[in-house]
Amino acid sequence: MKLLSKTIKYQLVFFALFSFVAIAILYFSIQYMVYDDVDKKLAYESERINFHILNTEEIPPSNYIIRVSPVSDTFPLLKNFTDTLIYEVYDDELIPYRDLDFTTPISRQKRYQITLRNILLDSDDLIVGLFFTISIIFILMIAGLFFVNQIISKRLWLAFFDTLAKIRRYKLEDRKAINLEASGIDEFNTLNEVIFAFTHQIEKDYIHLKEFNENVTHEMQTPLAVISNKMEQLMESPNLTEREINLVKAAYRECNKLSKMEKALSFMSKIENLEFRQMTRVNIRNIIENILDSFDEILNFKEIELKTTFHTEFYRELDPILVNVLFTNLVKNAVQHNKQGGFINIILDEQKFEIENSGEILHTNPEELFERFQKADKKSQSMGLGLAIAQKISRLYGFQLSYQYHEGKHKFSILF
Amino acid sequence: MKILIVEDNRELLNDIKQYLEKSGNICEIASDFKTADEKIGIFPYDILIIDLNLPDGNGLDIIREVKKENIDTGIIIISARNALDDKIKGLDLGADDYMTKPFFLPELNSRINALYRRKAYDGKIEIIFNEIKLLPEKHEVQINEQSIALTKKEYAILLYFISNKYRLVTKEAIAEHIWGDHVEVLDSFDFIYPHLANLRRKITSVGGKNYIKSIYSVGYKFTDEE
């Protein structure tokens, strides 16, 4: 729910509750005023009648008088206000009236008790009237608020939405500091400051971590080179025993594996650092054909039957090194995990590249296949970085790389 | 040929020196920028091997100096930094080759030889090992004056072997030489074998000797010694 709708929702509930309270308050205050008004009117009338009686000893005509009854002069002096309900045929309901009973001064040895009557406001009508009035005010207020809020929010929240859009576009790998403009609103300025500080810190940490990783990779290369060279020298010495040569061989192999791994990882970080930006128009079909050529002999050696279906010839703007690595790794994967006398099928058209190979059932989770250091075969000398690199390159170019297994066929496909 | 090796790691410096000297080169060493700069100013070298990260300077500055002074020499950069920027910068400045550490010494040796052949003989030199003759500019191989047809990879392996003759060349080194280091090549040892088998067969079929000796099953040595 939008903040604005939410605000209006709460305002609506508040105004609804408020309206009832307002109706109650208004009801009582209007009633009080009406009583006050009617009482005053009746009191003035009684004064006028008394005054008239004192001067003329006659009861004056009055619209308010409803009853005049003579009383004895011992009758106590009265001035009583009472409410009374009278049934009105015309309206078919009970109508409230205000009565004033009072006694007149003695005139011609007579004293009268006079009852004056005036109509009061019908409370039902009052409530209904008030309800309608308040409702109209209420609706107008809500409509007004809605429009005002809309206008305000468009203006006030402009800075906020600007910030939001910038955060959304923000990518750590771009290494571009987030540039948030100051607005006239303190809260948003604070938000921007916090976001800026936050992303700045993340960027710093990210760069440090990256540099650390890269430095470790670099610094390890020279010692690795030395170790590898020493092993080679050792292996050149004659008269090594079987045991000795096996030890050296294993150490040499692991040392080279480590350096390969370092190179593969630093290659991956170079992809991440977007160091491959030599965009060239490359002919995908040519690239794949060249790669297959280089695998020709090993395919023969493993007696793998290769079937290729190239539907079209097309060009893409890509970095030639990365494209080569991408397809080489996929072809290599299909060769490596193939069996003697197996097959590889390759299909290429403008939408997709598919490579299918025979091979044993995968024992790892297919979803983890593209993770670093995932090996289908634990005994394998492979480091499990080839597919991770292929995945990284695919992501860089927005290709979708996926894996499927179906009836003894492993299929990798790239959707361009 | 005369080679100057500029590298700050003493061990690596000595390894390179020993390897290249065994291949019949004269090597001088410099472990910092200052020494390297001085030596270049005084002596002529056929090849410079330059590490980029030196304690007192950047190897790229040595290349700048060499180009400024118009010294005619081949330059190979060896760097632990596998950054494309460095590579491009180095090659732009006029370096002939760029190698990323760690590298195999036979690889360095074969690149030095290739560079030297290119620079000194314009590639028009015959490489001869007993009855085997390589004509690099034509990518041709003759055994007892009789041409044999080799695939690109077989030719590359043969040239690599002859550049590093009498030396142990491990399978790892061959694999990297043939397939480069962009891809994981560890499983490629199997890939080497058919190439070697074919190469042996092609050489011996026209009366050549089998000089490829397997060493402890870790690699091979191209040798006519028994």
Side-chain angles (χ1 to χ4, degrees), chain A residues 351-396:
Chain A
Q351 277 81 46
K352 63 177 192 305
F353 166 82
E354 278 180 6
I355 181 162
E356 211 173 45
N357 68 277
S358 53
E360 307 225 332
I361 298 173
L362 195 70
H363 292 296
T364 46
N365 183 353
E367 275 159 29
E368 289 170 1
L369 211 59
F370 299 109
E371 304 269 314
R372 292 174 195 206
F373 303 112
Q374 273 300 322
K375 296 191 219 171
D377 177 7
K378 297 285 175 219
K379 286 174 292 184
S380 153
Q381 281 292 311
S382 126
M383 291 178 288
L385 285 174
L387 289 178
I389 289 176
Q391 175 76 304
K392 194 135 253 169
I393 297 171
S394 301
R395 288 219 175 113
L396 181 70

Side-chain angles (χ1 to χ4, degrees), chain A residues 221 230 249 252 297 332 386, chain B residues 11 15 102 170 184 195 218:
Chain A
Q221 298 300 0
K230 301 293 177 203
K249 218 161 82 180
Y252 180 71
E297 289 147 85
K332 219 162 105 17
Chain B
E11 285 293 338
D15 285 342
T170 60
E184 281 181 62
H195 295 292
V218 292

Side-chain angles (χ1 to χ4, degrees), chain A residues 218 221 230 233 235-237 240 245 249 252 259-260 263 270 297 329 332 336 381 383 385-386, chain B residues 11-12 15 80 82 84 101-102 104-105 153 168 170 172 176 182-184 187 195 216-218:
Chain A
H218 295 154
Q221 298 300 0
K230 301 293 177 203
Q233 284 172 30
M235 285 188 288
E236 275 200 274
S237 52
L240 285 183
I245 194 68
K249 218 161 82 180
Y252 180 71
S259 100
K260 281 275 160 229
K263 280 187 182 177
K270 276 198 294 184
E297 289 147 85
N329 284 4
K332 219 162 105 17
Q336 248 170 23
Q381 281 292 311
M383 291 178 288
L385 285 174
Chain B
E11 285 293 338
L12 187 60
D15 285 342
N82 190 10
L84 276 182
K101 287 181 197 169
F104 295 102
L105 291 176
K153 292 205 176 67
L168 168 73
T170 60
E172 281 89 346
E176 189 165 309
H182 271 314
V183 279
E184 281 181 62
D187 273 10
H195 295 292
Y216 300 127
S217 82
V218 292

Side-chain angles (χ1 to χ4, degrees), chain A residues 258-292:
Chain A
L258 193 57
S259 100
K260 281 275 160 229
M261 205 184 290
E262 297 280 354
K263 280 187 182 177
L265 288 174
S266 96
F267 183 74
M268 283 177 107
S269 79
K270 276 198 294 184
I271 300 174
E272 279 168 12
N273 290 353
L274 302 175
E275 285 186 42
F276 295 97
R277 274 182 295 211
Q278 262 199 305
M279 299 303 242
T280 326
R281 235 166 78 88
V282 289
N283 182 333
I284 306 260
R285 179 181 170 165
N286 270 355
I287 285 192
I288 294 169
E289 280 176 336
N290 284 340
I291 292 167
L292 291 175

Side-chain angles (χ1 to χ4, degrees), chain B residues 5-8 10 13 29-38 54-57 62:
Chain B
I5 309 159
V6 187
E7 160 68 56
D8 64 329
R10 285 275 169 186
L13 187 60
I29 53 171
S31 57
D32 55 48
F33 182 86
K34 204 168 145 272
T35 324
D37 203 38
E38 280 169 11
L54 296 171
D56 56 344
I62 299 179

